Amino acid sequence: MPGYKPLPLSVTGAEADQVRQAESRRRGGDPEAAIRLLEDALEASLLLTPVLPGWLCGRLAALYRTIGRHDDEVLLLERYRD
């Protein structure tokens, strides 16, 4: 994703696997599928802890920006900030 290095292999778990799948989908030209995967990963993460993972939010916000979903990008970043 723009400005992001691949997720390090040391980051593991279901959410990390979904982020890697999303990165693959984005590189394959399917940003909408990548967004769905990241949104699902974010929901799964929130079931474990109320803390939003920055690395996941950053990737999702960047994809929202890429496809012009600016309102969603701002809402997500404000939610992360709060």
Side-chain angles (χ1 to χ4, degrees), residues 1-75:
M1 291 176 204
Y4 288 101
K5 296 178 184 178
L7 195 61
L9 293 177
S10 61
V11 178
T12 61
E15 295 85 12
D17 292 341
Q18 281 188 276
V19 168
R20 288 186 182 93
Q21 263 189 338
E23 289 173 346
S24 176
R25 296 283 172 89
R26 187 215 35 98
R27 284 190 304 271
D30 193 355
E32 289 83 11
I35 286 172
R36 284 190 301 274
L37 284 166
L38 293 178
E39 289 172 339
D40 290 346
L42 184 59
E43 286 181 32
S45 176
L46 290 173
L47 292 175
L48 300 174
T49 177
V51 177
L52 292 170
W55 54 272
L56 201 160
C57 289
R59 284 168 164 70
L60 183 54
L63 272 176
Y64 284 153
R65 184 179 323 116
T66 298
I67 67 166
R69 288 178 56 181
H70 303 293
D71 290 341
D72 290 329
E73 175 191 6
V74 170
L75 288 173

